[in-house]
Coordinates of all heavy atoms in Angstrom, one line a residue:
I168 N -3.0 53.3 34.5 CA -3.5 54.4 33.6 C -3.9 53.9 32.3 O -3.2 53.2 31.7 CB -2.4 55.5 33.5 CG1 -2.1 55.9 34.9 CG2 -3.0 56.6 32.7 CD1 -0.8 56.9 34.7
F169 N -5.2 54.3 31.8 CA -5.6 54.0 30.5 C -5.7 55.3 29.7 O -6.8 55.9 29.7 CB -6.9 53.2 30.6 CG -7.0 51.9 31.0 CD1 -7.7 51.5 32.2 CD2 -6.1 50.9 30.6 CE1 -7.7 50.2 32.7 CE2 -6.0 49.6 31.2 CZ -6.8 49.3 32.2
P170 N -4.7 55.7 29.1 CA -4.8 57.0 28.4 C -5.7 57.2 27.2 O -6.0 58.2 26.8 CB -3.3 57.3 28.0 CG -2.6 56.0 28.0 CD -3.4 55.2 28.9
L171 N -6.1 56.0 26.6 CA -6.9 56.0 25.5 C -8.5 55.8 25.8 O -9.3 55.9 24.8 CB -6.6 54.9 24.5 CG -5.2 54.9 24.1 CD1 -4.8 53.8 23.0 CD2 -4.5 56.3 23.6
G172 N -8.7 55.7 27.1 CA -10.2 55.5 27.4 C -11.1 56.5 27.0 O -12.4 56.1 26.7
D173 N -10.7 57.7 27.0 CA -11.7 58.8 26.5 C -11.5 59.2 25.0 O -12.0 60.3 24.6 CB -11.3 60.0 27.4 CG -11.8 59.8 28.9 OD1 -13.0 59.4 29.0 OD2 -11.1 60.2 29.7
L174 N -11.0 58.4 24.3 CA -10.8 58.7 22.8 C -11.4 57.5 22.1 O -11.5 56.3 22.5 CB -9.3 58.7 22.5 CG -8.5 59.8 23.2 CD1 -6.9 59.7 22.8 CD2 -8.9 61.1 22.7
T175 N -11.9 57.9 20.8 CA -12.2 56.9 19.9 C -11.0 56.4 19.2 O -9.9 57.0 19.0 CB -13.3 57.4 18.7 OG1 -12.6 58.4 18.0 CG2 -14.5 58.0 19.7
K176 N -11.2 55.3 18.4 CA -10.1 54.7 17.6 C -9.8 55.8 16.5 O -8.5 55.9 16.3 CB -10.5 53.4 16.9 CG -9.3 52.7 16.2 CD -8.2 52.2 17.2 CE -7.2 51.3 16.4 NZ -6.3 50.7 17.4
Q177 N -10.7 56.3 15.9 CA -10.5 57.4 14.9 C -9.7 58.6 15.4 O -8.8 59.0 14.7 CB -11.8 57.7 14.2 CG -11.5 58.5 13.0 CD -10.6 57.8 11.8 OE1 -10.9 56.7 11.5 NE2 -9.5 58.6 11.3
E178 N -10.0 58.9 16.6 CA -9.2 60.0 17.2 C -7.9 59.7 17.4 O -6.9 60.6 17.3 CB -10.1 60.4 18.6 CG -11.4 61.2 18.2 CD -12.1 61.4 19.5 OE1 -11.9 60.7 20.5 OE2 -12.9 62.4 19.5
V179 N -7.7 58.4 17.8 CA -6.3 58.0 18.0 C -5.5 57.9 16.8 O -4.4 58.5 16.7 CB -6.2 56.6 18.7 CG1 -4.8 55.9 18.6 CG2 -6.6 56.6 20.1
R180 N -6.1 57.4 15.7 CA -5.4 57.5 14.4 C -5.1 59.0 14.0 O -4.0 59.2 13.4 CB -6.3 56.9 13.4 CG -6.4 55.3 13.6 CD -7.2 54.6 12.5 NE -7.3 53.2 12.6 CZ -6.4 52.2 12.2 NH1 -5.3 52.6 11.7 NH2 -6.5 51.1 12.4
D181 N -6.1 59.9 14.1 CA -5.9 61.3 13.8 C -4.9 61.9 14.6 O -4.1 62.7 14.0 CB -7.3 61.9 13.9 CG -8.3 61.6 12.9 OD1 -8.0 60.9 12.0 OD2 -9.5 61.9 13.2
Y182 N -4.8 61.5 15.7 CA -3.7 62.1 16.7 C -2.3 61.7 16.2 O -1.5 62.4 16.1 CB -4.0 61.6 18.0 CG -2.8 62.0 19.0 CD1 -2.6 63.3 19.5 CD2 -2.0 60.9 19.5 CE1 -1.7 63.5 20.4 CE2 -1.0 61.2 20.5 CZ -0.9 62.5 20.9 OH 0.0 62.7 21.8
L183 N -2.2 60.4 15.9 CA -1.0 59.9 15.4 C -0.5 60.5 14.0 O 0.6 60.9 13.8 CB -0.9 58.3 15.2 CG -0.9 57.5 16.5 CD1 -1.1 56.1 16.1 CD2 0.4 57.7 17.3
A184 N -1.4 60.7 13.1 CA -1.3 61.4 11.8 C -0.7 62.7 12.1 O 0.2 63.1 11.4 CB -2.5 61.3 11.0
A185 N -1.4 63.5 13.0 CA -1.0 64.9 13.3 C 0.4 65.0 13.9 O 1.1 66.0 13.8 CB -2.0 65.4 14.3
K186 N 0.9 63.8 14.5 CA 2.2 63.8 15.2 C 3.3 63.3 14.2 O 4.4 63.2 14.5 CB 2.2 62.9 16.4 CG 1.4 63.5 17.5 CD 2.1 64.6 18.1 CE 1.4 65.2 19.4 NZ 2.2 66.4 19.9
G187 N 2.9 63.1 13.0 CA 3.9 62.7 12.0 C 3.9 61.1 11.8 O 4.7 60.7 10.9
Y188 N 3.1 60.3 12.4 CA 3.1 59.0 12.4 C 2.1 58.4 11.4 O 1.1 57.7 11.6 CB 2.9 58.2 13.7 CG 3.9 58.5 14.7 CD1 4.0 59.6 15.5 CD2 4.9 57.7 15.0 CE1 5.0 60.0 16.4 CE2 6.0 57.8 15.9 CZ 6.0 59.0 16.5 OH 7.0 59.3 17.6
T189 N 2.2 59.0 10.1 CA 1.1 58.8 9.1 C 0.9 57.3 8.7 O -0.1 56.8 8.7 CB 1.5 59.8 7.9 OG1 1.7 60.9 8.3 CG2 0.2 59.5 6.9
E190 N 2.1 56.6 8.4 CA 2.0 55.2 8.1 C 1.3 54.3 9.2 O 0.5 53.6 9.0 CB 3.3 54.8 7.7 CG 3.4 53.3 7.2 CD 4.7 52.8 6.8 OE1 5.6 53.6 6.8 OE2 4.9 51.6 6.6
L191 N 1.8 54.6 10.3 CA 1.2 53.8 11.6 C -0.3 54.1 11.7 O -1.1 53.3 12.0 CB 2.1 54.2 12.8 CG 1.5 53.3 14.0 CD1 1.8 51.9 13.9 CD2 2.4 53.9 15.3
A192 N -0.7 55.4 11.5 CA -2.0 55.8 11.8 C -2.9 55.1 10.8 O -4.2 55.0 11.1 CB -2.2 57.3 11.5
H193 N -2.5 54.7 9.7 CA -3.3 54.0 8.6 C -3.1 52.5 8.6 O -3.7 51.9 7.7 CB -3.1 54.6 7.2 CG -3.5 56.1 7.2 ND1 -2.7 57.1 7.4 CD2 -4.7 56.6 6.8 CE1 -3.3 58.3 7.2 NE2 -4.6 58.0 6.9
K194 N -2.3 52.0 9.6 CA -2.1 50.6 9.5 C -3.3 49.8 9.9 O -4.0 50.2 10.9 CB -0.8 50.3 10.5 CG -0.5 48.8 10.5 CD 0.7 48.8 11.5 CE 1.3 47.3 11.5 NZ 2.4 47.1 12.5
S195 N -3.6 48.7 9.4 CA -4.6 47.8 9.8 C -4.1 46.9 10.9 O -3.0 46.8 11.2 CB -5.1 46.8 8.5 OG -4.0 46.1 8.2
E196 N -5.2 46.5 11.7 CA -4.9 45.6 12.9 C -5.6 44.2 12.8 O -6.6 44.2 12.4 CB -5.3 46.4 14.1 CG -4.4 47.6 14.4 CD -5.0 48.3 15.7 OE1 -6.0 48.8 15.8 OE2 -4.1 48.4 16.6
S197 N -4.8 43.3 13.3 CA -5.5 41.9 13.4 C -6.3 41.9 14.7 O -6.1 42.4 15.6 CB -4.4 40.9 13.5 OG -5.0 39.6 13.8
Q198 N -7.5 41.3 14.6 CA -8.4 41.1 15.7 C -8.3 39.7 16.3 O -9.0 39.3 17.1 CB -9.8 41.3 15.3 CG -10.0 42.7 14.7 CD -9.8 43.8 15.6 OE1 -10.1 43.7 16.9 NE2 -9.1 44.8 15.3
D199 N -7.3 38.9 15.9 CA -7.2 37.5 16.2 C -6.3 37.3 17.4 O -5.8 38.2 18.0 CB -6.5 36.6 15.1 CG -7.3 36.6 13.8 OD1 -8.6 36.8 13.8 OD2 -6.7 36.6 12.8
I200 N -6.4 36.2 18.0 CA -5.6 35.8 19.2 C -4.1 35.9 18.8 O -3.8 35.3 17.7 CB -5.9 34.4 19.8 CG1 -7.4 34.4 20.2 CG2 -5.0 34.0 20.9 CD1 -8.0 32.8 20.5
C201 N -3.4 36.5 19.6 CA -2.0 37.0 19.2 C -1.0 35.6 18.8 O -0.3 35.8 18.0 CB -1.3 37.6 20.3 SG -0.9 36.8 21.8
F202 N -1.2 34.6 19.4 CA -0.4 33.5 19.2 C -1.0 32.4 18.0 O -0.5 31.4 17.8 CB 0.0 32.6 20.5 CG -1.3 32.1 21.2 CD1 -1.7 30.9 21.0 CD2 -1.7 32.9 22.2 CE1 -2.8 30.4 21.9 CE2 -2.9 32.5 23.0 CZ -3.4 31.2 22.8
I203 N -2.2 32.7 17.5 CA -2.8 31.9 16.5 C -2.7 32.7 15.2 O -3.3 33.7 14.9 CB -4.2 31.7 16.9 CG1 -4.4 31.1 18.2 CG2 -4.9 30.8 15.8 CD1 -3.9 29.6 18.4
K204 N -1.9 32.2 14.4 CA -1.5 32.8 13.0 C -2.6 32.3 12.0 O -2.8 32.8 10.9 CB -0.1 32.6 12.7 CG 0.9 33.2 13.6 CD 0.6 34.7 13.9 CE 1.6 35.3 14.9 NZ 1.3 36.6 15.2
D205 N -3.0 31.1 12.1 CA -3.9 30.4 11.1 C -5.2 30.0 11.8 O -5.9 30.8 12.4 CB -3.1 29.3 10.4 CG -3.9 28.8 9.3 OD1 -4.8 29.3 8.8 OD2 -3.4 27.7 8.8
D206 N -5.5 28.7 11.9 CA -6.6 28.2 12.5 C -6.2 27.6 13.8 O -5.1 27.0 13.9 CB -7.3 27.2 11.6 CG -8.6 26.6 12.1 OD1 -8.5 25.6 12.9 OD2 -9.6 27.1 11.8
Y207 N -7.0 27.7 14.9 CA -6.6 27.2 16.2 C -6.4 25.8 16.1 O -5.7 25.2 17.0 CB -7.7 27.6 17.2 CG -8.9 26.8 17.3 CD1 -9.1 25.7 18.1 CD2 -10.1 27.0 16.5 CE1 -10.1 24.8 18.1 CE2 -11.2 26.3 16.5 CZ -11.2 25.2 17.4 OH -12.4 24.4 17.4
R208 N -7.2 25.1 15.2 CA -7.0 23.6 15.2 C -5.7 23.2 14.7 O -5.1 22.2 15.2 CB -8.1 22.9 14.1 CG -9.6 23.4 14.7 CD -10.5 23.0 13.5 NE -11.9 23.5 13.8 CZ -12.4 24.7 13.5 NH1 -11.6 25.5 13.0 NH2 -13.6 24.9 14.0
T209 N -5.2 24.0 13.8 CA -3.8 23.7 13.3 C -2.8 24.1 14.4 O -1.8 23.2 14.7 CB -3.4 24.6 12.1 OG1 -4.4 24.4 11.1 CG2 -2.2 24.3 11.5
F210 N -3.0 25.0 15.2 CA -2.0 25.3 16.3 C -2.1 24.4 17.4 O -1.1 23.9 17.8 CB -2.6 26.8 16.9 CG -1.7 27.1 18.0 CD1 -0.5 27.7 18.0 CD2 -2.2 26.8 19.4 CE1 0.2 28.0 19.0 CE2 -1.5 27.2 20.5 CZ -0.2 27.8 20.4
L211 N -3.3 23.9 17.8 CA -3.5 22.8 18.8 C -2.9 21.5 18.3 O -2.0 20.8 19.2 CB -4.9 22.5 19.0 CG -5.6 23.6 19.8 CD1 -7.1 23.4 20.0 CD2 -5.0 23.8 21.3
N212 N -3.0 21.1 17.1 CA -2.4 19.9 16.5 C -2.6 18.7 17.6 O -1.7 18.0 17.8 CB -1.0 20.1 16.2 CG -0.4 19.0 15.4 OD1 -1.1 18.3 14.6 ND2 0.9 18.7 15.4
L213 N -3.7 18.4 18.0 CA -4.0 17.4 19.0 C -4.5 16.1 18.3 O -5.0 16.1 17.3 CB -5.2 17.8 19.8 CG -4.9 19.1 20.8 CD1 -6.2 19.5 21.5 CD2 -3.8 18.8 21.8
P214 N -3.9 15.1 18.9 CA -4.3 13.8 18.2 C -5.6 13.3 18.6 O -5.9 12.6 19.7 CB -3.2 12.8 18.8 CG -2.8 13.4 20.2 CD -3.0 14.9 20.1
M215 N -6.6 13.7 17.8 CA -8.0 13.4 18.1 C -8.6 12.2 17.3 O -8.1 12.1 16.1 CB -8.9 14.7 17.7 CG -8.8 15.8 18.8 SD -9.8 15.4 20.2 CE -8.4 15.1 21.4
Q216 N -9.4 11.4 17.9 CA -10.0 10.3 17.3 C -11.4 10.8 16.8 O -12.1 11.5 17.5 CB -10.2 9.2 18.2 CG -8.8 8.5 18.8 CD -8.1 7.9 17.7 OE1 -8.7 7.3 16.8 NE2 -6.8 8.2 17.7
P217 N -11.8 10.2 15.7 CA -13.2 10.6 15.3 C -14.2 10.1 16.2 O -13.9 9.1 17.0 CB -13.4 9.8 13.8 CG -12.0 9.5 13.4 CD -11.1 9.3 14.7
G218 N -15.3 10.8 16.4 CA -16.4 10.4 17.2 C -17.8 10.6 16.6 O -17.8 10.9 15.4
N219 N -18.8 10.6 17.4 CA -20.2 10.5 16.8 C -20.9 12.0 17.1 O -20.6 12.6 18.1 CB -21.0 9.5 17.6 CG -20.6 8.0 17.1 OD1 -20.1 7.8 16.0 ND2 -20.7 7.1 18.1
Y220 N -21.5 12.3 16.1 CA -22.5 13.4 16.2 C -23.7 12.8 16.8 O -24.2 11.6 16.4 CB -22.9 14.0 14.9 CG -21.9 14.9 14.2 CD1 -21.3 14.7 13.0 CD2 -21.5 16.1 15.0 CE1 -20.3 15.6 12.6 CE2 -20.7 17.1 14.5 CZ -20.0 16.7 13.2 OH -19.1 17.6 12.7

Side-chain angles (χ1 to χ4, degrees):
I168 301 173
F169 293 124
L171 306 187
D173 290 314
L174 298 172
T175 66
K176 186 72 175 192
Q177 189 57 52
E178 287 173 337
V179 167
R180 290 184 182 276
D181 292 344
Y182 171 75
L183 286 177
K186 289 293 183 181
Y188 295 84
T189 307
E190 183 177 349
L191 182 61
H193 293 94
K194 184 178 179 181
S195 62
E196 292 182 298
S197 171
Q198 302 298 317
D199 299 327
I200 297 171
C201 68
F202 57 92
I203 305 294
K204 301 304 180 186
D205 189 7
D206 186 275
Y207 81 89
R208 302 166 185 85
T209 304
F210 176 82
L211 289 172
N212 193 28
L213 296 171
M215 283 287 104
Q216 296 296 320
N219 291 324
Y220 283 119

